[in-house]
Amino acid sequence: MKSNLVDIQALLRGWRGNARGNISVLMALIVVSAMGLAGIAVDLRFTITQKEKVQYALDSAVLAGALERQRGSDAERVTAEVHNYAAALIRQTEGGLSCTPIAVVLDELSQDISASITCTQPTFIAQILGRDHLTFAVSSTSTYSIGKVDVAFI
């Protein structure tokens, strides 16, 4: 047992005295870390872009629903308009985006139309680090009124 300990101590002294190759090991660690961070940054930026597209789609869909309500349509028709309008715009996004069905709430008292959706964006480079997808939620509300200002976002 003592000879094994002596052998290990001699080996450690040899490594401590020999500094060749240390830069190579450090560079390998730094390059792998930098590539991982760059991959996460690329996936995060793409997901933020997808979230902006879904937000624009939901904003437009809620406005379309407000216009449908202004025409005198019933709640079922307004909800269908919001669903169809948003679904058509979200389908145009690329990159494997998958979303839950849109939740639409019509407030009969204030005439507000609210919609929300949750989407999942698969990652590309971050999958190497074990992160398969990023999830985000978007919501939008419009207020209906009669007068000079017909629709306003809240």
Side-chain angles (χ1 to χ4, degrees), residues 10 20 26 43 62 66 77 79 84 92 106 121 133 136-137 144:
R20 293 183 313 192
L26 286 174
D43 285 336
V62 169
R77 176 70 187 127
T79 301
N84 294 338
Q92 293 177 1
L106 303 174
Q121 175 62 50
H133 65 278
F136 59 87
Y144 168 79

Side-chain angles (χ1 to χ4, degrees), residues 36 39-40 43 122-134:
I40 291 171
D43 285 336
T123 59
F124 306 109
I125 303 170
Q127 286 180 354
I128 297 169
L129 301 174
R131 186 70 180 188
D132 293 339
H133 65 278
L134 295 171

Side-chain angles (χ1 to χ4, degrees), residues 79-94:
T79 301
E81 179 69 16
V82 172
H83 280 275
N84 294 338
Y85 201 95
L89 293 174
I90 291 172
R91 265 195 307 271
Q92 293 177 1
T93 63
E94 297 174 351

Side-chain angles (χ1 to χ4, degrees), residues 26-38:
L26 286 174
M27 284 303 295
L29 292 173
I30 290 170
V31 166
V32 168
S33 299
M35 293 297 285
L37 287 173

